[in-house]
């Protein structure tokens, strides 16, 4: 008996051994260290714009795919076979967290994520699992990360991610996408206490989930507050920012306490211009930006010590390749080549031309190498 316990303990405590990281430009930039060129990756780089992605996904339910580590690994690696991205992001979805809390979520082709039984009133909160064991509920994501980290062979770092509490709350109440988020916002105004309760519950799961991803091999973490723009400054400060802050603080403390590596953390709060200053002081190394803020204004608000990530309009990829090159050049001139990670201001769309994604990546590398360290 004693023997088996000690064996188990040894297994749990021994960190995974992974291949050595060869391209550390992304991690260096994220940590604020000097890089020879601007690292680049794209949100939704593993996605339907790639024919090989559509082929691998064909006929398979979205969340079944998410629960199959070998397929998640394959989908994560696909864009890297085509383009010299400086980071990989694990194929998964932010909505696996509401599933872990006990909610049913399906991905309806042509419609998007759908919750057959969204939260309607505060009484519905009791239906949620009040203490989630992330290893039991989300272990399949951890397995996908470990497998992918091995299969990457140290080529580039692997990014793990989670949705932020407010964005997940919107899905859980709206039951899917929405133009107004009025159902979720009604909660903030009518049931502030229940809203905080739900956001706290989500934060607790997200913290364990992100720590689990690092234990499984994630080398950076991005927190997606994709629906930040629906909140004004006042509501953002009350219902989003405190939880975003809490997540970075608690994840870092838990990583330290478990002797896990401290990894850079990125916060991407879409359309939250009013919050750039606060976000840059919220315990994240990197602030992700959407395309509606100018690089210079963002840098003024964020200060010089933070790394910025973004922010080309994804639709600029519809432009001819030469034009993409010009837009990238201006973007890098405005951000500078240090403390900067190039990306789009949001995810790639399914109808985008992979060649234009390649032109974007190439332009970032070429122009930033050319420009030098400024
Ligand atoms: O390459 C990557 O970025 C990694 C994988 C990833 C996916 N979703 C895969 C996916 C990541 C990081 C996400 C995050 C995610 N999921 C967010 C935050 C980022 C953002 O876009 O703001 C959000 C809001 C979701 C919820 C979600 N999942 C939506 C709105 C959709 C699109 C539905 C549709 O039909 O257009 C999804 C589905 C989804 N997640 C797809 C992918 C590649 C496409 C569906 C498919 O493959 O069948």
């Amino acid at each position: 008996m004693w023997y088996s316990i000690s064996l188990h303990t040894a297994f749990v405590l021994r960190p995974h051994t992974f291949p050595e990281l060869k391209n550390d430009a992304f991690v260096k930039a994220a940590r604020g260290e000097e890089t020879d060129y601007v690292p680049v990756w794209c949100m939704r780089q593993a996605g339907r714009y790639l024919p090989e992605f559509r082929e691998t996904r064909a006929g398979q339910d979205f969340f079944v795919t998410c629960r199959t580590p070998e397929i998640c690994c394959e989908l994560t690696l696909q864009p890297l076979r085509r383009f010299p991205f400086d980071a990989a992001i694990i194929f998964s979805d932010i909505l696996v967290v509401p599933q872990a809390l006990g909610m049913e979520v399906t991905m309806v082709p042509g419609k998007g994520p759908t919750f057959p039984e969204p939260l309607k009133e505060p009484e519905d909160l009791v239906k949620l699992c009040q203490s989630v064991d992330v290893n039991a509920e989300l272990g399949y994501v951890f397995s996908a990360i470990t497998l992918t980290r091995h299969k990457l062979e140290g080529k580039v770092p692997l990014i793990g991610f989670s949705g932020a509490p407010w964005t997940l709350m919107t899905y859980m109440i709206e039951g899917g996408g929405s133009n107004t988020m009025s159902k979720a916002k009604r909660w903030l105004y009518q049931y502030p206490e229940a809203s905080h309760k739900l956001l706290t519950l989500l934060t607790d799961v997200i913290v364990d989930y992100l720590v689990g991803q690092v234990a499984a091999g994630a080398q950076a973490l991005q927190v997606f507050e994709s629906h930040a723009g629906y909140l004004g400054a006042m509501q953002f400060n009350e219902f989003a920012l405190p939880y975003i802050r809490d997540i970075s603080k608690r994840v870092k403390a838990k990583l330290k306490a478990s002797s896990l590596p401290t990894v850079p953390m990125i916060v991407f709060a879409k359309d939250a211009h009013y919050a750039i200053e606060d976000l840059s002081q919220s315990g994240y190394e990197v602030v992700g930006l959407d395309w509606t803020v100018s690089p210079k204004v963002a840098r003024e608000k964020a200060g010089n010590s933070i790394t910025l990530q973004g922010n080309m309009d994804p639709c600029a990829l519809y432009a001819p390749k030469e034009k993409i090159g010009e837009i990238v050049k201006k973007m890098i001139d405005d951000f500078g080549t240090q403390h900067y990670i190039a990306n789009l201001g949001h995810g790639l769309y399914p109808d985008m031309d992979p060649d234009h994604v390649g032109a974007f990546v190439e332009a970032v590398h070429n122009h930033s190498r050319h420009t030098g360290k400024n």
Side-chain angles (χ1 to χ4, degrees):
M1 186 63 191
W2 190 87
Y3 182 60
S4 75
I5 288 171
S6 70
L7 255 189
H8 179 68
T9 311
F11 172 77
V12 169
L13 293 181
R14 191 188 315 129
H16 293 282
T17 314
F18 292 115
E20 197 187 328
L21 183 60
K22 293 173 197 136
N23 174 352
D24 62 357
F26 167 85
V27 175
K28 274 186 158 173
R31 293 192 191 283
E33 294 165 23
E34 202 172 275
T35 56
D36 296 333
Y37 64 93
V38 170
V40 56
W41 66 284
C42 286
M43 289 188 269
R44 287 283 164 91
Q45 65 190 34
R48 287 168 293 182
Y49 73 106
L50 290 177
E52 58 270 35
F53 177 95
R54 296 196 296 268
E55 197 175 309
T56 309
R57 283 270 303 106
Q60 184 80 282
D61 173 77
F62 180 80
F63 287 108
V64 171
T65 303
C66 289
R67 286 166 189 266
T68 315
E70 293 75 20
I71 302 182
C72 294
C73 173
E74 166 60 20
L75 294 172
T76 304
L77 297 178
Q78 282 176 350
L80 295 155
R81 296 194 190 110
R82 279 188 186 246
F83 315 116
F85 282 126
D86 295 288
I89 179 159
I90 191 67
F91 176 86
S92 186
D93 200 84
I94 61 167
L95 300 176
V96 299
V97 166
Q99 287 177 335
L101 281 159
M103 293 189 83
E104 189 187 342
V105 191
T106 55
M107 195 62 71
V108 181
K111 184 172 174 222
T114 305
F115 292 61
E117 288 179 60
L119 303 175
K120 290 205 169 75
E121 299 296 327
E123 296 80 68
D124 293 336
L125 291 181
V126 297
K127 295 184 198 159
L128 299 175
C129 176
Q130 301 300 308
S131 114
V132 174
D133 174 350
V134 292
N135 288 310
E137 299 300 328
L138 295 161
Y140 61 89
V141 180
F142 304 155
S143 300
I145 288 174
T146 304
L147 178 65
T148 307
R149 178 80 190 271
H150 281 292
K151 289 272 173 78
L152 270 169
E153 296 174 338
K155 203 172 158 194
V156 293
L158 180 60
I159 305 170
F161 69 88
S162 172
W166 158 246
T167 296
L168 294 178
M169 174 176 168
T170 62
Y171 278 106
M172 292 161 80
I173 295 173
E174 299 287 338
S178 157
N179 289 330
T180 58
M181 302 295 157
S182 58
K183 293 191 179 94
K185 290 184 72 179
R186 179 175 74 94
W187 273 53
L188 303 185
Y189 287 106
Q190 278 185 359
Y191 314 128
E193 216 172 289
S195 298
H196 280 299
K197 206 171 155 207
L198 174 55
L199 292 163
T200 302
L201 180 60
L202 281 162
T203 301
D204 291 344
V205 183
I206 291 165
V207 167
D208 287 349
Y209 181 43
L210 290 173
V211 170
Q213 291 186 49
V214 175
Q219 290 151 294
L221 296 170
Q222 175 151 321
V223 176
F224 286 93
E225 191 69 287
S226 302
H227 295 168
Y230 292 90
L231 300 171
M234 235 169 72
Q235 282 190 314
F236 185 86
N237 287 340
E238 183 176 352
F239 295 103
L241 187 60
Y243 299 97
I244 288 172
R245 279 199 187 116
D246 203 33
I247 288 168
S248 65
K249 196 169 135 202
R250 285 167 60 191
V251 166
K252 284 175 184 187
K254 281 203 173 191
L255 291 177
K256 204 168 168 200
S258 318
S259 303
L260 286 163
T262 51
V263 301
M265 294 181 72
I266 308 163
V267 59
F268 173 66
K270 191 171 173 292
D271 298 320
H273 300 187
Y274 47 78
I276 293 174
E277 203 171 338
D278 284 330
L279 287 169
S280 67
Q281 290 158 27
S282 60
Y284 293 76
E285 285 70 20
V286 184
V287 172
L289 304 167
D290 67 86
W291 68 93
T292 61
V293 59
S294 83
K296 286 183 178 159
V297 168
R299 180 51 80 193
E300 265 169 38
K301 288 185 178 175
N304 288 329
S305 56
I306 204 93
T307 294
L308 294 176
Q309 175 177 279
N311 75 338
M312 191 177 84
D313 179 359
C315 292
L317 291 176
Y318 295 126
K321 287 187 201 166
E322 311 75 64
K323 180 77 182 167
I324 294 173
E326 284 168 31
I327 295 169
V328 165
K329 184 171 178 302
K330 170 103 175 67
M331 179 171 80
I332 293 176
D333 290 346
D334 287 352
F335 275 112
T337 61
Q338 301 301 315
H339 292 201
Y340 174 51
I341 297 162
N343 204 316
L344 304 174
H346 202 197
L348 285 157
Y349 301 134
D351 66 350
M352 283 171 168
D353 183 343
D355 283 350
H356 286 217
V357 175
F360 169 68
V361 175
E362 196 184 305
V364 170
H365 284 164
N366 285 347
H367 187 65
S368 60
R369 278 212 173 89
H370 191 134
T371 310
K373 291 166 189 165
N374 66 14

